[in-house]
């Protein structure tokens, strides 16, 4: 290492500036040592000038570009080869699989959120927000997660519509007969929720004491329903407001219920922004998901000589190729106004099969069976991870 050739052989790396002692760690050096074999610092006694910074910057850039091109070539042209080389010790020629995957994940999800139309959902959320705040005949229940209807308000809306029809000279007799059965639309559970909301709004402080004294296992969801109702109807914007106005105890359970309710209401009010925020967290989720998936690969190939880390590197490389193909798909879609994701996913499916055969060296039948099993596990884990992510995001948005 000390006498290896480097990219820069001029400037402060010239032989005339070589020393006999490392300025960083004090290790003895020979004038032929370009770098200290102990700490890897450059063997140079020359004072730094601005030009030296530029030389080192462009040198490292060229060095990284060289690794990047080799990594891309191996990934795209030789499925499974890059992982085989990496686990056998040929690592300097390739980029770090962890950093490479993280960079690709950030690029893809950044492009994905930039090109989507999720922001349009915020308009729908704004309209829905009127119903959430109970300005119409329908409202949203945080406790049950369903929409309920106010029979009185609904009747008023229908009466207005009927009067407009009568003013136009249209016969509304049949419609009125059918409307007489509207009360049957409200179920017993909905009536109970409406009555409960009325009790809460009549005396919020007293009602919360009954929740606090309750032994019901769903007490946390009751608190969420309580706080969401107050936020929708009584201008409660923070937990401090609830404490001041209704004497709510400052406990971890109460704060959590309030924060969860507040986050859920914001997610409903601005669904587009919520989805974009959730997607921005996916690059980090990938690095919790892949280690779990690598366990299944290790179990399937347990008789092979590879370690768990080798299987994880294999997953990193294949996932990197998937992100590369998805990025290309977004570029193609933007240029030609088409939907090419399916085609690129088909390419990846073929690539993954070839990568498994080349890296693990098993026959077609065994590879196909394990390919189907692992992809089924991958799909299940991915679905579970996405569900947990969106559920968690609702409560932390």
């Amino acid at each position: 290492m000390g006498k290896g050739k480097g990219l820069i052989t001029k400037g402060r790396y010239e032989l005339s500036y070589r020393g006999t002692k490392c300025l960083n760690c004090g290790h003895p050096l020979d004038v032929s040592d370009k770098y200290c074999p102990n700490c890897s610092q450059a063997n140079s006694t020359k004072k730094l000038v601005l030009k030296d910074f530029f030389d080192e910057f462009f040198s490292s850039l060229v060095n990284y570009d060289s690794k990047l091109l080799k990594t891309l070539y191996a990934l795209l042209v030789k499925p499974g080869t890059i992982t085989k080389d990496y686990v056998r010790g040929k690592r300097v020629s390739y980029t770090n699989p962890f950093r490479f995957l993280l960079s690709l994940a950030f690029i893809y999800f950044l492009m994905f959120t930039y090109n989507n139309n999720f922001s349009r959902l915020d308009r729908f959320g704004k309209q829905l927000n009127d119903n959430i705040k109970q300005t119409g005949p329908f409202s949203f229940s945080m406790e049950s997660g369903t929409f309920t209807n106010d029979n009185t308000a609904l009747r008023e809306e229908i009466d207005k519509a009927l009067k407009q029809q009568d003013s136009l000279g249209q016969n509304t007799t049949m419609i009125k007969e059918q409307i007489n059965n509207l009360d049957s639309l409200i179920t017993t559970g909905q009536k109970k929720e409406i009555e409960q909301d009325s009790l809460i709004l009549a005396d919020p402080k007293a009602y919360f004491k009954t929740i606090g004294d309750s032994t019901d296992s769903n007490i946390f969801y009751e608190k969420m329903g309580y706080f969401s109702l107050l936020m929708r109807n009584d201008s409660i914007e923070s937990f401090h407001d609830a404490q001041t106005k209704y004497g709510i105890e400052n406990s971890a359970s109460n704060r959590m219920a309030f924060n969860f309710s507040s986050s859920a209401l914001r997610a409903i009010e601005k669904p587009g922004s919520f989805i974009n925020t959730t997607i921005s967290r996916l690059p980090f989720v990938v690095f919790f998901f892949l280690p779990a998936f690598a366990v299944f690969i290790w179990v399937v190939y347990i008789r092979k000589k590879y370690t768990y880390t080798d299987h994880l590197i294999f997953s990193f490389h294949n996932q990197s190729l998937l992100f590369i193909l998805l990025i290309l798909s977004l570029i193609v879609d933007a240029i030609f106004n088409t939907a090419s994701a399916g085609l690129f996913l088909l390419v990846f499916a073929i690539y993954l099969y070839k990568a498994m055969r080349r890296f693990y060296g098993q026959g077609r039948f065994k590879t196909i069976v394990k390919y189907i099993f692992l992809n089924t596990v991958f799909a299940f884990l991915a679905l579970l991870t996405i569900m947990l992510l969106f559920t968690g995001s609702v409560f932390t948005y």
Side-chain angles (χ1 to χ4, degrees), residues 317-334:
H317 283 145
N318 288 309
Q319 195 68 28
S320 296
L321 190 278
L322 176 60
F323 280 127
I324 291 173
L325 294 176
L326 291 176
I327 289 171
L328 291 175
S329 173
L330 290 178
I331 295 173
V332 170
D333 293 349

Side-chain angles (χ1 to χ4, degrees), residues 219-281:
I219 184 171
F220 184 78
Y221 293 102
E222 288 187 40
K223 289 181 179 180
M224 285 184 61
Y226 172 87
F227 286 126
S228 66
L229 184 66
L230 293 183
M231 282 185 278
R232 287 179 280 141
N233 293 272
D234 202 15
S235 302
I236 300 298
E237 297 182 357
S238 67
F239 184 71
H240 178 73
D241 292 341
Q243 282 184 284
T244 303
K245 196 168 184 177
Y246 302 117
I248 305 297
E249 182 184 355
N250 185 18
S251 66
S253 174
N254 291 341
R255 289 197 307 271
M256 189 177 298
F258 182 90
N259 291 332
F260 281 8
S261 300
S262 179
S263 297
L265 288 176
R266 285 198 300 271
I268 295 170
E269 182 178 356
K270 294 184 177 181
S273 300
F274 164 72
I275 294 175
N276 278 329
T277 301
T278 303
I279 290 175
S280 67
R281 298 172 181 171

Side-chain angles (χ1 to χ4, degrees), residues 293 300-301 345-356 364-378:
F293 177 64
V300 168
Y301 289 102
L345 288 175
L346 178 61
V347 172
F348 175 73
I350 298 172
Y351 175 94
L352 182 60
Y353 167 75
K354 290 184 174 295
M356 290 176 64
R364 286 189 176 88
F365 179 75
K366 283 186 176 180
T367 302
I368 290 174
V369 172
K370 294 179 179 181
Y371 176 90
I372 295 173
F373 172 75
L374 288 175
N375 276 282
T376 303
V377 172
F378 183 91

Side-chain angles (χ1 to χ4, degrees), residues 77-250:
V77 180
K78 300 178 180 179
T81 300
I82 184 174
T83 309
K84 187 176 290 188
D85 288 345
Y86 203 88
V87 299
R88 287 177 177 176
K90 296 181 181 180
R91 298 164 190 164
V92 177
S93 301
Y94 303 113
T95 58
N96 182 283
F98 178 84
R99 287 200 300 263
F100 188 56
L101 176 58
L102 183 62
S103 301
L104 289 171
F106 270 114
I107 293 172
Y108 171 70
F109 289 117
L110 182 65
M111 293 176 63
F112 182 80
T113 53
Y114 179 78
N115 289 328
N116 67 60
N117 294 317
F118 291 141
S119 57
R120 295 181 181 178
L121 294 176
D122 287 344
R123 301 175 187 173
F124 170 76
K126 188 175 184 302
Q127 296 174 356
L128 183 62
N129 190 43
D130 292 337
N131 290 330
I132 294 175
K133 291 183 177 179
Q134 292 184 329
T135 57
F138 296 93
S139 62
F140 181 77
S141 171
M142 181 66 67
E143 186 175 346
S144 63
T146 60
F147 284 91
T148 58
N149 52 318
D150 186 337
N151 193 38
T152 302
L154 182 61
R155 176 77 69 171
E156 291 176 355
E157 295 291 330
I158 294 173
D159 287 341
K160 291 180 182 178
L162 289 176
K163 288 179 181 179
Q164 291 178 354
Q165 295 293 322
D166 289 337
S167 65
L168 296 175
Q170 297 183 6
N171 187 2
T172 59
T173 304
M174 185 178 297
I175 298 177
K176 290 179 179 179
E177 291 177 356
Q178 295 176 353
I179 289 176
N180 289 331
N181 298 321
L182 275 175
D183 288 339
S184 62
L185 295 176
I186 302 180
T187 64
T188 304
Q190 289 176 327
K191 288 182 178 179
K192 183 179 179 181
E193 288 183 0
I194 294 173
E195 292 173 358
Q196 184 183 37
D197 290 351
S198 299
L199 290 173
I200 293 174
L201 295 175
D203 193 347
K205 190 173 184 178
Y207 189 89
F208 190 79
K209 289 182 179 179
T210 64
I211 298 178
D213 297 332
S214 173
T215 58
D216 188 356
S217 60
N218 294 322
I219 184 171
F220 184 78
Y221 293 102
E222 288 187 40
K223 289 181 179 180
M224 285 184 61
Y226 172 87
F227 286 126
S228 66
L229 184 66
L230 293 183
M231 282 185 278
R232 287 179 280 141
N233 293 272
D234 202 15
S235 302
I236 300 298
E237 297 182 357
S238 67
F239 184 71
H240 178 73
D241 292 341
Q243 282 184 284
T244 303
K245 196 168 184 177
Y246 302 117
I248 305 297
E249 182 184 355
N250 185 18

